[in-house]
Amino acid sequence: MSKYNTLWNWIKENGTDRFQLTYFEIETITGFPIDHSFLTYKKELTEYGYRVRKISMKEQKVAFEKMVE
C-alpha cells in the first residue's frame, strides 16, 4: 500500500479529464505535505487511469490528466 493511495483514489473518484491541485490541497487530501518522494510514487497513478502532466514547484501545483485508453 502506497502512502499516496488516498490521493490516487480521490483522483480516480474525481473523474475529471484534466485538473490541477495545489500542494496544500494534496496535503489536505493525504494528511501530510507533498515531498520529494512524490516523484517516485507518481508512477503508481497510471494504475488508476491517470498520469501527472506537470509539477510546478514555483506555483506549488500538480497537473493531472486522464490517460487515453
Side-chain angles (χ1 to χ4, degrees):
M1 183 166 152
S2 167
K3 73 183 211 175
Y4 285 100
N5 277 352
T6 305
L7 178 61
W8 306 153
N9 285 318
W10 186 94
I11 290 169
K12 184 178 180 181
E13 291 173 13
N14 179 39
T16 306
D17 287 346
R18 287 182 146 193
F19 61 96
Q20 292 184 15
L21 293 173
T22 65
Y23 288 8
F24 179 76
E25 290 169 322
I26 291 172
E27 180 176 349
T28 300
I29 293 166
T30 61
F32 56 86
I34 190 171
D35 60 21
H36 189 72
S37 73
F38 183 79
L39 297 173
T40 302
Y41 285 101
K42 70 179 185 169
K43 66 181 178 244
E44 299 172 344
L45 187 54
T46 59
E47 298 172 27
Y48 294 80
Y50 284 83
R51 70 180 186 102
V52 172
R53 195 174 84 236
K54 181 180 178 185
I55 300 172
S56 173
M57 294 184 73
K58 182 178 179 183
E59 295 179 7
Q60 296 192 340
K61 292 182 181 178
V62 181
F64 300 92
E65 73 180 351
K66 196 173 206 174
M67 295 172 53
V68 178
E69 295 179 20

mmCIF file of all heavy atoms in Angstrom, residues 15-63:
data_model
loop_
_atom_site.group_PDB
_atom_site.id
_atom_site.type_symbol
_atom_site.label_atom_id
_atom_site.label_comp_id
_atom_site.label_asym_id
_atom_site.label_seq_id
_atom_site.Cartn_x
_atom_site.Cartn_y
_atom_site.Cartn_z
ATOM 1 N N GLY A 15 -12.773 11.931 -11.417
ATOM 2 C CA GLY A 15 -13.210 11.614 -12.765
ATOM 3 C C GLY A 15 -13.001 12.693 -13.818
ATOM 4 O O GLY A 15 -13.348 12.497 -14.973
ATOM 5 N N THR A 16 -12.446 13.830 -13.449
ATOM 6 C CA THR A 16 -12.220 14.911 -14.400
ATOM 7 C C THR A 16 -11.053 14.564 -15.320
ATOM 8 O O THR A 16 -10.079 13.965 -14.893
ATOM 9 C CB THR A 16 -11.909 16.224 -13.637
ATOM 10 O OG1 THR A 16 -12.951 16.463 -12.710
ATOM 11 C CG2 THR A 16 -11.779 17.402 -14.576
ATOM 12 N N ASP A 17 -11.168 14.945 -16.607
ATOM 13 C CA ASP A 17 -10.128 14.609 -17.575
ATOM 14 C C ASP A 17 -8.799 15.308 -17.296
ATOM 15 O O ASP A 17 -7.738 14.705 -17.399
ATOM 16 C CB ASP A 17 -10.575 14.956 -18.998
ATOM 17 C CG ASP A 17 -11.632 13.988 -19.502
ATOM 18 O OD1 ASP A 17 -11.834 12.929 -18.890
ATOM 19 O OD2 ASP A 17 -12.268 14.307 -20.524
ATOM 20 N N ARG A 18 -8.863 16.617 -16.965
ATOM 21 C CA ARG A 18 -7.653 17.399 -16.680
ATOM 22 C C ARG A 18 -7.950 18.356 -15.545
ATOM 23 O O ARG A 18 -8.968 19.047 -15.564
ATOM 24 C CB ARG A 18 -7.218 18.218 -17.888
ATOM 25 C CG ARG A 18 -6.616 17.422 -18.989
ATOM 26 C CD ARG A 18 -6.175 18.338 -20.099
ATOM 27 N NE ARG A 18 -4.981 17.781 -20.707
ATOM 28 C CZ ARG A 18 -4.200 18.423 -21.523
ATOM 29 N NH1 ARG A 18 -4.453 19.667 -21.846
ATOM 30 N NH2 ARG A 18 -3.147 17.842 -22.038
ATOM 31 N N PHE A 19 -7.053 18.423 -14.580
ATOM 32 C CA PHE A 19 -7.248 19.338 -13.462
ATOM 33 C C PHE A 19 -5.924 19.538 -12.738
ATOM 34 O O PHE A 19 -4.955 18.825 -12.996
ATOM 35 C CB PHE A 19 -8.311 18.813 -12.487
ATOM 36 C CG PHE A 19 -7.963 17.490 -11.874
ATOM 37 C CD1 PHE A 19 -7.371 17.423 -10.637
ATOM 38 C CD2 PHE A 19 -8.225 16.305 -12.553
ATOM 39 C CE1 PHE A 19 -7.032 16.201 -10.075
ATOM 40 C CE2 PHE A 19 -7.897 15.080 -12.004
ATOM 41 C CZ PHE A 19 -7.300 15.031 -10.757
ATOM 42 N N GLN A 20 -5.896 20.536 -11.843
ATOM 43 C CA GLN A 20 -4.718 20.820 -11.040
ATOM 44 C C GLN A 20 -5.085 20.802 -9.567
ATOM 45 O O GLN A 20 -6.204 21.142 -9.204
ATOM 46 C CB GLN A 20 -4.166 22.218 -11.353
ATOM 47 C CG GLN A 20 -3.581 22.368 -12.709
ATOM 48 C CD GLN A 20 -2.974 23.755 -12.900
ATOM 49 O OE1 GLN A 20 -2.756 24.493 -11.948
ATOM 50 N NE2 GLN A 20 -2.699 24.104 -14.139
ATOM 51 N N LEU A 21 -4.141 20.410 -8.762
ATOM 52 C CA LEU A 21 -4.267 20.508 -7.314
ATOM 53 C C LEU A 21 -3.057 21.266 -6.789
ATOM 54 O O LEU A 21 -1.939 21.054 -7.258
ATOM 55 C CB LEU A 21 -4.306 19.118 -6.668
ATOM 56 C CG LEU A 21 -5.526 18.245 -6.948
ATOM 57 C CD1 LEU A 21 -5.307 16.851 -6.359
ATOM 58 C CD2 LEU A 21 -6.780 18.868 -6.379
ATOM 59 N N THR A 22 -3.286 22.122 -5.818
ATOM 60 C CA THR A 22 -2.167 22.808 -5.166
ATOM 61 C C THR A 22 -1.527 21.848 -4.177
ATOM 62 O O THR A 22 -2.124 20.846 -3.773
ATOM 63 C CB THR A 22 -2.642 24.062 -4.416
ATOM 64 O OG1 THR A 22 -3.508 23.653 -3.347
ATOM 65 C CG2 THR A 22 -3.354 25.037 -5.344
ATOM 66 N N TYR A 23 -0.317 22.170 -3.771
ATOM 67 C CA TYR A 23 0.347 21.357 -2.758
ATOM 68 C C TYR A 23 -0.506 21.312 -1.490
ATOM 69 O O TYR A 23 -0.608 20.278 -0.832
ATOM 70 C CB TYR A 23 1.723 21.919 -2.417
ATOM 71 C CG TYR A 23 2.793 21.739 -3.477
ATOM 72 C CD1 TYR A 23 2.522 21.259 -4.750
ATOM 73 C CD2 TYR A 23 4.108 22.066 -3.185
ATOM 74 C CE1 TYR A 23 3.519 21.106 -5.690
ATOM 75 C CE2 TYR A 23 5.118 21.910 -4.127
ATOM 76 C CZ TYR A 23 4.812 21.434 -5.375
ATOM 77 O OH TYR A 23 5.803 21.275 -6.311
ATOM 78 N N PHE A 24 -1.134 22.444 -1.144
ATOM 79 C CA PHE A 24 -1.977 22.497 0.050
ATOM 80 C C PHE A 24 -3.188 21.567 -0.092
ATOM 81 O O PHE A 24 -3.546 20.859 0.855
ATOM 82 C CB PHE A 24 -2.448 23.933 0.322
ATOM 83 C CG PHE A 24 -3.345 24.031 1.522
ATOM 84 C CD1 PHE A 24 -2.826 23.971 2.811
ATOM 85 C CD2 PHE A 24 -4.722 24.163 1.366
ATOM 86 C CE1 PHE A 24 -3.653 24.038 3.924
ATOM 87 C CE2 PHE A 24 -5.562 24.237 2.475
ATOM 88 C CZ PHE A 24 -5.025 24.174 3.750
ATOM 89 N N GLU A 25 -3.811 21.540 -1.276
ATOM 90 C CA GLU A 25 -4.953 20.642 -1.497
ATOM 91 C C GLU A 25 -4.518 19.185 -1.386
ATOM 92 O O GLU A 25 -5.236 18.354 -0.814
ATOM 93 C CB GLU A 25 -5.584 20.910 -2.869
ATOM 94 C CG GLU A 25 -6.303 22.235 -2.950
ATOM 95 C CD GLU A 25 -6.706 22.621 -4.352
ATOM 96 O OE1 GLU A 25 -5.938 22.360 -5.303
ATOM 97 O OE2 GLU A 25 -7.800 23.198 -4.498
ATOM 98 N N ILE A 26 -3.341 18.863 -1.912
ATOM 99 C CA ILE A 26 -2.825 17.496 -1.807
ATOM 100 C C ILE A 26 -2.585 17.141 -0.343
ATOM 101 O O ILE A 26 -2.937 16.053 0.105
ATOM 102 C CB ILE A 26 -1.540 17.325 -2.650
ATOM 103 C CG1 ILE A 26 -1.899 17.399 -4.139
ATOM 104 C CG2 ILE A 26 -0.830 16.015 -2.317
ATOM 105 C CD1 ILE A 26 -0.716 17.449 -5.078
ATOM 106 N N GLU A 27 -2.032 18.087 0.414
ATOM 107 C CA GLU A 27 -1.814 17.852 1.840
ATOM 108 C C GLU A 27 -3.134 17.639 2.573
ATOM 109 O O GLU A 27 -3.230 16.770 3.449
ATOM 110 C CB GLU A 27 -1.068 19.032 2.462
ATOM 111 C CG GLU A 27 -0.800 18.849 3.935
ATOM 112 C CD GLU A 27 0.022 19.979 4.550
ATOM 113 O OE1 GLU A 27 0.562 20.819 3.806
ATOM 114 O OE2 GLU A 27 0.121 20.005 5.789
ATOM 115 N N THR A 28 -4.155 18.374 2.197
ATOM 116 C CA THR A 28 -5.473 18.222 2.817
ATOM 117 C C THR A 28 -6.045 16.833 2.531
ATOM 118 O O THR A 28 -6.614 16.194 3.417
ATOM 119 C CB THR A 28 -6.435 19.315 2.301
ATOM 120 O OG1 THR A 28 -5.890 20.597 2.634
ATOM 121 C CG2 THR A 28 -7.808 19.177 2.918
ATOM 122 N N ILE A 29 -5.864 16.349 1.314
ATOM 123 C CA ILE A 29 -6.383 15.034 0.917
ATOM 124 C C ILE A 29 -5.602 13.908 1.589
ATOM 125 O O ILE A 29 -6.185 12.951 2.102
ATOM 126 C CB ILE A 29 -6.345 14.873 -0.620
ATOM 127 C CG1 ILE A 29 -7.332 15.851 -1.277
ATOM 128 C CG2 ILE A 29 -6.662 13.435 -1.031
ATOM 129 C CD1 ILE A 29 -7.134 16.021 -2.773
ATOM 130 N N THR A 30 -4.275 14.017 1.597
ATOM 131 C CA THR A 30 -3.439 12.923 2.106
ATOM 132 C C THR A 30 -3.220 12.974 3.608
ATOM 133 O O THR A 30 -2.956 11.953 4.228
ATOM 134 C CB THR A 30 -2.044 12.936 1.438
ATOM 135 O OG1 THR A 30 -1.391 14.171 1.747
ATOM 136 C CG2 THR A 30 -2.139 12.747 -0.064
ATOM 137 N N GLY A 31 -3.265 14.175 4.169
ATOM 138 C CA GLY A 31 -2.988 14.329 5.592
ATOM 139 C C GLY A 31 -1.533 14.598 5.898
ATOM 140 O O GLY A 31 -1.133 14.643 7.058
ATOM 141 N N PHE A 32 -0.710 14.756 4.857
ATOM 142 C CA PHE A 32 0.704 15.086 5.048
ATOM 143 C C PHE A 32 1.170 15.919 3.850
ATOM 144 O O PHE A 32 0.594 15.845 2.774
ATOM 145 C CB PHE A 32 1.564 13.827 5.202
ATOM 146 C CG PHE A 32 1.443 12.858 4.063
ATOM 147 C CD1 PHE A 32 2.224 12.993 2.932
ATOM 148 C CD2 PHE A 32 0.538 11.798 4.131
ATOM 149 C CE1 PHE A 32 2.107 12.098 1.880
ATOM 150 C CE2 PHE A 32 0.421 10.896 3.081
ATOM 151 C CZ PHE A 32 1.203 11.052 1.959
ATOM 152 N N PRO A 33 2.226 16.717 4.041
ATOM 153 C CA PRO A 33 2.715 17.557 2.936
ATOM 154 C C PRO A 33 3.384 16.743 1.832
ATOM 155 O O PRO A 33 4.001 15.708 2.099
ATOM 156 C CB PRO A 33 3.710 18.498 3.605
ATOM 157 C CG PRO A 33 4.036 17.883 4.915
ATOM 158 C CD PRO A 33 2.939 16.929 5.280
ATOM 159 N N ILE A 34 3.228 17.213 0.619
ATOM 160 C CA ILE A 34 3.899 16.585 -0.527
ATOM 161 C C ILE A 34 5.411 16.739 -0.325
ATOM 162 O O ILE A 34 5.880 17.756 0.171
ATOM 163 C CB ILE A 34 3.422 17.218 -1.850
ATOM 164 C CG1 ILE A 34 3.905 16.426 -3.051
ATOM 165 C CG2 ILE A 34 3.802 18.673 -1.949
ATOM 166 C CD1 ILE A 34 3.287 16.864 -4.376
ATOM 167 N N ASP A 35 6.159 15.704 -0.670
ATOM 168 C CA ASP A 35 7.608 15.767 -0.522
ATOM 169 C C ASP A 35 8.278 15.184 -1.765
ATOM 170 O O ASP A 35 7.614 14.816 -2.728
ATOM 171 C CB ASP A 35 8.067 15.062 0.754
ATOM 172 C CG ASP A 35 7.697 13.589 0.793
ATOM 173 O OD1 ASP A 35 7.446 12.998 -0.271
ATOM 174 O OD2 ASP A 35 7.655 13.019 1.897
ATOM 175 N N HIS A 36 9.580 15.111 -1.725
ATOM 176 C CA HIS A 36 10.357 14.653 -2.879
ATOM 177 C C HIS A 36 9.979 13.225 -3.303
ATOM 178 O O HIS A 36 10.092 12.877 -4.479
ATOM 179 C CB HIS A 36 11.853 14.753 -2.578
ATOM 180 C CG HIS A 36 12.719 14.514 -3.763
ATOM 181 N ND1 HIS A 36 12.830 15.418 -4.797
ATOM 182 C CD2 HIS A 36 13.505 13.461 -4.105
ATOM 183 C CE1 HIS A 36 13.644 14.930 -5.711
ATOM 184 N NE2 HIS A 36 14.073 13.744 -5.314
ATOM 185 N N SER A 37 9.525 12.417 -2.373
ATOM 186 C CA SER A 37 9.157 11.033 -2.707
ATOM 187 C C SER A 37 7.997 10.962 -3.698
ATOM 188 O O SER A 37 7.803 9.950 -4.359
ATOM 189 C CB SER A 37 8.811 10.240 -1.447
ATOM 190 O OG SER A 37 7.565 10.635 -0.919
ATOM 191 N N PHE A 38 7.242 12.058 -3.822
ATOM 192 C CA PHE A 38 6.129 12.095 -4.781
ATOM 193 C C PHE A 38 6.628 11.762 -6.182
ATOM 194 O O PHE A 38 5.916 11.128 -6.962
ATOM 195 C CB PHE A 38 5.456 13.470 -4.756
ATOM 196 C CG PHE A 38 4.265 13.563 -5.661
ATOM 197 C CD1 PHE A 38 3.048 13.036 -5.273
ATOM 198 C CD2 PHE A 38 4.363 14.167 -6.895
ATOM 199 C CE1 PHE A 38 1.943 13.109 -6.108
ATOM 200 C CE2 PHE A 38 3.263 14.249 -7.739
ATOM 201 C CZ PHE A 38 2.047 13.719 -7.340
ATOM 202 N N LEU A 39 7.835 12.178 -6.499
ATOM 203 C CA LEU A 39 8.395 11.907 -7.827
ATOM 204 C C LEU A 39 8.523 10.412 -8.085
ATOM 205 O O LEU A 39 8.368 9.954 -9.214
ATOM 206 C CB LEU A 39 9.759 12.585 -7.980
ATOM 207 C CG LEU A 39 9.749 14.111 -7.902
ATOM 208 C CD1 LEU A 39 11.171 14.649 -7.893
ATOM 209 C CD2 LEU A 39 8.939 14.713 -9.026
ATOM 210 N N THR A 40 8.788 9.644 -7.057
ATOM 211 C CA THR A 40 8.871 8.194 -7.185
ATOM 212 C C THR A 40 7.486 7.564 -7.229
ATOM 213 O O THR A 40 7.202 6.706 -8.063
ATOM 214 C CB THR A 40 9.671 7.598 -6.007
ATOM 215 O OG1 THR A 40 10.969 8.178 -5.994
ATOM 216 C CG2 THR A 40 9.777 6.091 -6.116
ATOM 217 N N TYR A 41 6.616 8.016 -6.339
ATOM 218 C CA TYR A 41 5.286 7.423 -6.213
ATOM 219 C C TYR A 41 4.343 7.767 -7.360
ATOM 220 O O TYR A 41 3.391 7.037 -7.611
ATOM 221 C CB TYR A 41 4.638 7.853 -4.897
ATOM 222 C CG TYR A 41 5.183 7.157 -3.682
ATOM 223 C CD1 TYR A 41 6.107 7.782 -2.846
ATOM 224 C CD2 TYR A 41 4.770 5.870 -3.353
ATOM 225 C CE1 TYR A 41 6.603 7.151 -1.715
ATOM 226 C CE2 TYR A 41 5.270 5.225 -2.234
ATOM 227 C CZ TYR A 41 6.178 5.867 -1.416
ATOM 228 O OH TYR A 41 6.661 5.223 -0.307
ATOM 229 N N LYS A 42 4.577 8.857 -8.069
ATOM 230 C CA LYS A 42 3.635 9.312 -9.090
ATOM 231 C C LYS A 42 3.380 8.269 -10.178
ATOM 232 O O LYS A 42 2.317 8.250 -10.777
ATOM 233 C CB LYS A 42 4.074 10.634 -9.710
ATOM 234 C CG LYS A 42 5.289 10.536 -10.592
ATOM 235 C CD LYS A 42 5.635 11.883 -11.193
ATOM 236 C CE LYS A 42 6.799 11.703 -12.163
ATOM 237 N NZ LYS A 42 7.015 12.872 -12.959
ATOM 238 N N LYS A 43 4.330 7.366 -10.403
ATOM 239 C CA LYS A 43 4.138 6.333 -11.431
ATOM 240 C C LYS A 43 2.997 5.377 -11.077
ATOM 241 O O LYS A 43 2.408 4.753 -11.946
ATOM 242 C CB LYS A 43 5.441 5.583 -11.684
ATOM 243 C CG LYS A 43 5.928 4.769 -10.511
ATOM 244 C CD LYS A 43 7.239 4.063 -10.819
ATOM 245 C CE LYS A 43 7.710 3.318 -9.603
ATOM 246 N NZ LYS A 43 8.949 3.793 -9.057
ATOM 247 N N GLU A 44 2.668 5.271 -9.794
ATOM 248 C CA GLU A 44 1.555 4.404 -9.368
ATOM 249 C C GLU A 44 0.211 4.899 -9.901
ATOM 250 O O GLU A 44 -0.732 4.122 -10.023
ATOM 251 C CB GLU A 44 1.470 4.361 -7.843
ATOM 252 C CG GLU A 44 2.685 3.814 -7.166
ATOM 253 C CD GLU A 44 2.619 3.972 -5.657
ATOM 254 O OE1 GLU A 44 1.796 4.749 -5.145
ATOM 255 O OE2 GLU A 44 3.402 3.297 -4.990
ATOM 256 N N LEU A 45 0.129 6.174 -10.195
ATOM 257 C CA LEU A 45 -1.128 6.773 -10.619
ATOM 258 C C LEU A 45 -1.652 6.161 -11.915
ATOM 259 O O LEU A 45 -2.858 6.136 -12.147
ATOM 260 C CB LEU A 45 -0.950 8.285 -10.754
ATOM 261 C CG LEU A 45 -2.177 9.123 -11.033
ATOM 262 C CD1 LEU A 45 -3.280 8.867 -10.013
ATOM 263 C CD2 LEU A 45 -1.808 10.599 -11.041
ATOM 264 N N THR A 46 -0.772 5.632 -12.750
ATOM 265 C CA THR A 46 -1.213 5.038 -14.012
ATOM 266 C C THR A 46 -2.142 3.840 -13.770
ATOM 267 O O THR A 46 -3.001 3.556 -14.595
ATOM 268 C CB THR A 46 -0.020 4.604 -14.888
ATOM 269 O OG1 THR A 46 0.774 3.658 -14.176
ATOM 270 C CG2 THR A 46 0.820 5.810 -15.292
ATOM 271 N N GLU A 47 -1.982 3.182 -12.633
ATOM 272 C CA GLU A 47 -2.863 2.064 -12.286
ATOM 273 C C GLU A 47 -4.302 2.533 -12.051
ATOM 274 O O GLU A 47 -5.231 1.730 -12.065
ATOM 275 C CB GLU A 47 -2.347 1.352 -11.037
ATOM 276 C CG GLU A 47 -0.978 0.727 -11.204
ATOM 277 C CD GLU A 47 -0.418 0.210 -9.888
ATOM 278 O OE1 GLU A 47 -1.194 -0.136 -8.980
ATOM 279 O OE2 GLU A 47 0.826 0.163 -9.777
ATOM 280 N N TYR A 48 -4.480 3.825 -11.845
ATOM 281 C CA TYR A 48 -5.796 4.414 -11.594
ATOM 282 C C TYR A 48 -6.333 5.133 -12.831
ATOM 283 O O TYR A 48 -7.376 5.776 -12.773
ATOM 284 C CB TYR A 48 -5.717 5.382 -10.414
ATOM 285 C CG TYR A 48 -5.399 4.692 -9.111
ATOM 286 C CD1 TYR A 48 -4.095 4.330 -8.793
ATOM 287 C CD2 TYR A 48 -6.399 4.384 -8.202
ATOM 288 C CE1 TYR A 48 -3.795 3.681 -7.605
ATOM 289 C CE2 TYR A 48 -6.114 3.739 -7.010
ATOM 290 C CZ TYR A 48 -4.809 3.390 -6.725
ATOM 291 O OH TYR A 48 -4.522 2.746 -5.543
ATOM 292 N N GLY A 49 -5.607 5.029 -13.950
ATOM 293 C CA GLY A 49 -6.059 5.619 -15.201
ATOM 294 C C GLY A 49 -5.679 7.081 -15.391
ATOM 295 O O GLY A 49 -6.211 7.747 -16.269
ATOM 296 N N TYR A 50 -4.756 7.572 -14.586
ATOM 297 C CA TYR A 50 -4.326 8.969 -14.683
ATOM 298 C C TYR A 50 -2.809 9.045 -14.719
ATOM 299 O O TYR A 50 -2.117 8.083 -14.428
ATOM 300 C CB TYR A 50 -4.826 9.781 -13.481
ATOM 301 C CG TYR A 50 -6.278 10.123 -13.571
ATOM 302 C CD1 TYR A 50 -7.252 9.216 -13.174
ATOM 303 C CD2 TYR A 50 -6.699 11.349 -14.071
ATOM 304 C CE1 TYR A 50 -8.592 9.514 -13.261
ATOM 305 C CE2 TYR A 50 -8.046 11.663 -14.155
ATOM 306 C CZ TYR A 50 -8.981 10.743 -13.757
ATOM 307 O OH TYR A 50 -10.314 11.046 -13.855
ATOM 308 N N ARG A 51 -2.315 10.237 -15.062
ATOM 309 C CA ARG A 51 -0.882 10.493 -15.008
ATOM 310 C C ARG A 51 -0.647 11.924 -14.555
ATOM 311 O O ARG A 51 -1.538 12.768 -14.659
ATOM 312 C CB ARG A 51 -0.210 10.241 -16.346
ATOM 313 C CG ARG A 51 -0.552 11.254 -17.413
ATOM 314 C CD ARG A 51 0.163 10.914 -18.733
ATOM 315 N NE ARG A 51 -0.052 11.961 -19.708
ATOM 316 C CZ ARG A 51 0.841 12.895 -20.010
ATOM 317 N NH1 ARG A 51 2.024 12.905 -19.427
ATOM 318 N NH2 ARG A 51 0.574 13.812 -20.908
ATOM 319 N N VAL A 52 0.544 12.180 -14.060
ATOM 320 C CA VAL A 52 0.940 13.537 -13.698
ATOM 321 C C VAL A 52 1.401 14.215 -14.978
ATOM 322 O O VAL A 52 2.296 13.724 -15.660
ATOM 323 C CB VAL A 52 2.074 13.529 -12.648
ATOM 324 C CG1 VAL A 52 2.603 14.939 -12.421
ATOM 325 C CG2 VAL A 52 1.584 12.932 -11.343
ATOM 326 N N ARG A 53 0.752 15.306 -15.325
ATOM 327 C CA ARG A 53 1.103 16.035 -16.533
ATOM 328 C C ARG A 53 2.240 17.019 -16.280
ATOM 329 O O ARG A 53 3.151 17.146 -17.087
ATOM 330 C CB ARG A 53 -0.128 16.764 -17.092
ATOM 331 C CG ARG A 53 0.061 17.244 -18.511
ATOM 332 C CD ARG A 53 -1.219 17.822 -19.101
ATOM 333 N NE ARG A 53 -1.340 19.220 -18.693
ATOM 334 C CZ ARG A 53 -2.367 19.749 -18.053
ATOM 335 N NH1 ARG A 53 -3.406 19.017 -17.738
ATOM 336 N NH2 ARG A 53 -2.387 21.012 -17.718
ATOM 337 N N LYS A 54 2.177 17.722 -15.153
ATOM 338 C CA LYS A 54 3.202 18.730 -14.864
ATOM 339 C C LYS A 54 3.249 19.004 -13.367
ATOM 340 O O LYS A 54 2.223 19.044 -12.705
ATOM 341 C CB LYS A 54 2.872 20.028 -15.609
ATOM 342 C CG LYS A 54 3.888 21.124 -15.406
ATOM 343 C CD LYS A 54 3.494 22.375 -16.165
ATOM 344 C CE LYS A 54 4.499 23.482 -15.898
ATOM 345 N NZ LYS A 54 4.094 24.739 -16.528
ATOM 346 N N ILE A 55 4.451 19.209 -12.870
ATOM 347 C CA ILE A 55 4.645 19.628 -11.488
ATOM 348 C C ILE A 55 5.302 21.003 -11.526
ATOM 349 O O ILE A 55 6.375 21.159 -12.123
ATOM 350 C CB ILE A 55 5.542 18.640 -10.710
ATOM 351 C CG1 ILE A 55 4.913 17.252 -10.686
ATOM 352 C CG2 ILE A 55 5.807 19.160 -9.305
ATOM 353 C CD1 ILE A 55 5.818 16.174 -10.121
ATOM 354 N N SER A 56 4.647 21.996 -10.939
ATOM 355 C CA SER A 56 5.206 23.339 -10.883
ATOM 356 C C SER A 56 5.623 23.644 -9.448
ATOM 357 O O SER A 56 4.771 23.875 -8.586
ATOM 358 C CB SER A 56 4.192 24.376 -11.360
ATOM 359 O OG SER A 56 4.695 25.684 -11.150
ATOM 360 N N MET A 57 6.919 23.639 -9.221
ATOM 361 C CA MET A 57 7.409 23.952 -7.881
ATOM 362 C C MET A 57 7.209 25.434 -7.582
ATOM 363 O O MET A 57 6.932 25.806 -6.448
ATOM 364 C CB MET A 57 8.869 23.544 -7.755
ATOM 365 C CG MET A 57 9.039 22.034 -7.851
ATOM 366 S SD MET A 57 10.715 21.486 -7.588
ATOM 367 C CE MET A 57 10.855 21.742 -5.837
ATOM 368 N N LYS A 58 7.318 26.269 -8.603
ATOM 369 C CA LYS A 58 7.159 27.710 -8.419
ATOM 370 C C LYS A 58 5.729 28.047 -7.984
ATOM 371 O O LYS A 58 5.512 28.801 -7.044
ATOM 372 C CB LYS A 58 7.503 28.449 -9.713
ATOM 373 C CG LYS A 58 7.410 29.943 -9.600
ATOM 374 C CD LYS A 58 7.799 30.608 -10.898
ATOM 375 C CE LYS A 58 7.685 32.121 -10.772
ATOM 376 N NZ LYS A 58 7.994 32.785 -12.036
ATOM 377 N N GLU A 59 4.741 27.481 -8.684
ATOM 378 C CA GLU A 59 3.333 27.742 -8.370
ATOM 379 C C GLU A 59 2.793 26.799 -7.305
ATOM 380 O O GLU A 59 1.665 26.951 -6.854
ATOM 381 C CB GLU A 59 2.478 27.632 -9.632
ATOM 382 C CG GLU A 59 2.797 28.681 -10.669
ATOM 383 C CD GLU A 59 1.957 28.524 -11.923
ATOM 384 O OE1 GLU A 59 1.033 27.674 -11.947
ATOM 385 O OE2 GLU A 59 2.223 29.238 -12.897
ATOM 386 N N GLN A 60 3.570 25.782 -6.943
ATOM 387 C CA GLN A 60 3.173 24.753 -5.982
ATOM 388 C C GLN A 60 1.859 24.085 -6.392
ATOM 389 O O GLN A 60 0.912 23.994 -5.636
ATOM 390 C CB GLN A 60 3.085 25.332 -4.570
ATOM 391 C CG GLN A 60 4.420 25.803 -4.060
ATOM 392 C CD GLN A 60 4.415 26.105 -2.575
ATOM 393 O OE1 GLN A 60 3.375 26.312 -1.960
ATOM 394 N NE2 GLN A 60 5.585 26.119 -1.989
ATOM 395 N N LYS A 61 1.855 23.604 -7.645
ATOM 396 C CA LYS A 61 0.691 22.913 -8.202
ATOM 397 C C LYS A 61 1.141 21.667 -8.952
ATOM 398 O O LYS A 61 2.255 21.608 -9.475
ATOM 399 C CB LYS A 61 -0.055 23.817 -9.191
ATOM 400 C CG LYS A 61 -0.728 25.006 -8.564
ATOM 401 C CD LYS A 61 -1.466 25.812 -9.603
ATOM 402 C CE LYS A 61 -2.133 27.017 -8.966
ATOM 403 N NZ LYS A 61 -2.812 27.838 -9.960
ATOM 404 N N VAL A 62 0.242 20.696 -9.000
ATOM 405 C CA VAL A 62 0.468 19.488 -9.783
ATOM 406 C C VAL A 62 -0.714 19.338 -10.732
ATOM 407 O O VAL A 62 -1.873 19.400 -10.308
ATOM 408 C CB VAL A 62 0.586 18.229 -8.894
ATOM 409 C CG1 VAL A 62 0.839 16.994 -9.746
ATOM 410 C CG2 VAL A 62 1.687 18.394 -7.848
ATOM 411 N N ALA A 63 -0.418 19.178 -12.029
ATOM 412 C CA ALA A 63 -1.455 18.989 -13.036
ATOM 413 C C ALA A 63 -1.580 17.502 -13.339
ATOM 414 O O ALA A 63 -0.581 16.799 -13.514
ATOM 415 C CB ALA A 63 -1.104 19.758 -14.303
#
